[in-house]
Amino acid sequence: MGGDDEHEPVNVKEYEELAKQALPKMYFDYFAGGSEDQHTLRQNVEAFQRITLRPRILVDVSKIDMSTSILGYKTSAPIMIAPTAMHKLAHPQGEVLTAKAAAACNVIMALSFMSTCTIEEVASSCNAVFFFQLYIYKRRDISALMVKRAESNGYKAILLTVDTPKLGRREADIKNKMIAPQLKNFEGLVSTKVDDDEGSNLEAFASRSFDPSLSWKDIAWLKSITKLPILIKGILTREDAIKAVEVGVEGIIVSNHGARQLDYVPATIEALEEVHA
Ligand SMILES: Cc1cc2nc3c(=O)[nH]c(=O)nc-3n(C[C@H](O)[C@H](O)[C@H](O)COP(=O)(O)O)c2cc1C
Ligand SMILES: CCCCCCC(=O)C(=O)O
């Protein structure tokens, strides 16, 4: 170590600090923030701090293989890149660069429905395995079209996010009057750029577009338009995990959406304990 190495970030917290320095406040706050009092945002970290490791000794660790598979697709570790919106707000190459990182690490990447690079650009950028995250718009035709595009571009699964009938109340975005750019995937279909002087334009866009009537019956509709396996993302209770199995989806993702949706829900790792019990 020496010279510039000392300034290289070595953990997520240090990357976060660099991002804070590099990004416009509006974008940093969008990426880093949670909803309302951000109680669950803090809990997401603190709950992990309550869990400690129980290391066993004198085990040969000269060769370590953490690889496993998700829906039959190999991954070098039980880690998947979660769908996160609008990477170009943080880097000009956006999701294409994230995809290349996924390929380099041999992990699966889930592309957000609200990506800034198109479904096609990401698919053709490298040979990573991609899943596609879906929001259901009031205009079902748009959501159905995105599913078709994902399917014909080789995405391997649909992650249906179910915790966003309404966007979480993100107070930083309200204060910053957070603006969504026009997203290329939706060009000619819907304007994602809302010009509203009041509060978060993301929230305004979401309440105009996302379908708050989404319910269990819509899983049958989704199944009717795709042959891809479906994972339900945003489950926090054992009851809903059982229901998801009953409606016949291929998997669930236990998640509180990074504490960006409902505040005062359990930390994701605690919900996982309940669901797994
Ligand atoms: C900046 C940001 C944008 C996000 N955008 C989306 C999104 O477009 N779709 C989605 O389903 N989840 C989105 N999420 C939630 C993540 O997929 C994920 O649920 C969250 O980071 C917490 O990880 P966990 O679910 O593994 O606990 C976003 C999270 C962040 C931090
Ligand atoms: C542009 C509309 C809102 C995008 C929401 C993306 C998301 O899920 C998030 O957590 O942010």
Side-chain angles (χ1 to χ4, degrees):
M1 280 272 279
D4 276 352
D5 285 352
E6 287 168 34
H7 302 291
E8 282 291 305
V10 292
N11 59 43
V12 176
K13 207 72 212 137
E14 291 183 9
Y15 274 102
E16 188 176 11
E17 195 43 54
L18 289 181
K20 190 171 190 173
Q21 290 162 25
L23 294 179
K25 181 177 182 325
M26 178 192 286
Y27 296 163
F28 177 80
D29 287 354
Y30 165 72
F31 285 123
S35 62
E36 310 236 1
D37 298 339
Q38 306 196 105
H39 170 78
T40 299
L41 189 68
R42 290 185 291 277
Q43 287 301 306
N44 271 353
V45 176
E46 284 168 19
F48 266 109
Q49 289 168 350
R50 290 196 284 271
I51 298 170
T52 54
L53 302 173
R54 267 187 87 245
R56 298 296 306 276
I57 57 164
L58 292 175
V59 177
D60 180 355
V61 291
S62 55
K63 288 189 202 76
I64 298 172
D65 180 5
M66 293 202 297
S67 67
T68 181
S69 66
I70 303 175
L71 299 177
Y73 297 98
K74 190 117 199 251
T75 169
S76 62
I79 292 171
M80 185 162 80
I81 299 186
T84 49
M86 304 188 289
H87 292 195
K88 279 194 182 175
L89 300 185
H91 190 283
Q93 290 181 52
E95 290 82 2
V96 160
L97 201 56
T98 314
K100 288 179 180 167
C105 298
N106 287 310
V107 297
I108 298 167
M109 169 173 166
L111 181 70
S112 166
F113 193 71
M114 309 303 291
S115 61
T116 34
C117 298
T118 64
I119 293 170
E120 292 76 12
E121 285 167 342
V122 171
S124 62
S125 67
C126 61
N127 63 358
V129 172
F130 297 112
F131 294 171
F132 182 67
Q133 178 260 322
L134 179 69
Y135 278 131
I136 308 273
Y137 278 176
K138 289 174 189 161
R139 277 196 54 191
R140 291 281 164 108
D141 59 315
I142 297 181
S143 291
L145 178 64
M146 298 303 141
V147 169
K148 280 289 152 251
R149 281 169 58 184
E151 211 168 308
S152 54
N153 281 281
Y155 289 68
K156 305 296 186 202
I158 301 294
L159 268 60
L160 174 66
T161 299
V162 293
D163 54 20
T164 314
K166 182 177 179 344
L167 203 68
R169 186 181 154 81
R170 303 165 186 180
E171 294 179 2
D173 290 355
I174 294 171
K175 286 201 173 126
N176 294 332
K177 298 191 193 315
M178 172 65 187
I179 298 165
Q182 176 59 43
L183 300 179
K184 261 165 94 183
N185 272 328
F186 303 116
E187 254 163 26
L189 295 166
V190 66
S191 172
T192 44
K193 205 169 176 312
V194 175
D195 278 321
D196 191 338
D197 250 8
E198 303 262 313
S200 161
N201 285 358
L202 285 192
E203 202 173 333
F205 171 75
S207 44
R208 203 177 280 186
S209 314
F210 290 17
D211 185 353
S213 76
L214 193 70
S215 71
W216 286 104
K217 68 176 169 15
D218 296 306
I219 305 296
W221 170 76
L222 183 56
K223 282 182 170 184
S224 77
I225 64 159
T226 184
K227 294 268 168 298
L228 291 177
I230 297 167
L231 306 185
I232 296 185
K233 174 176 184 286
I235 286 183
L236 286 174
T237 63
R238 191 170 163 74
E239 295 92 303
D240 283 343
I242 291 168
K243 243 177 154 164
V245 173
E246 284 167 4
V247 297
V249 291
E250 279 75 9
I252 62 168
I253 297 179
V254 175
S255 169
N256 64 24
H257 205 121
R260 299 161 70 79
Q261 285 302 111
L262 273 184
D263 200 9
Y264 296 96
V265 294
T268 293
I269 195 71
E270 283 171 353
L272 187 63
E273 286 171 331
E274 169 180 327
V275 169
H276 190 261

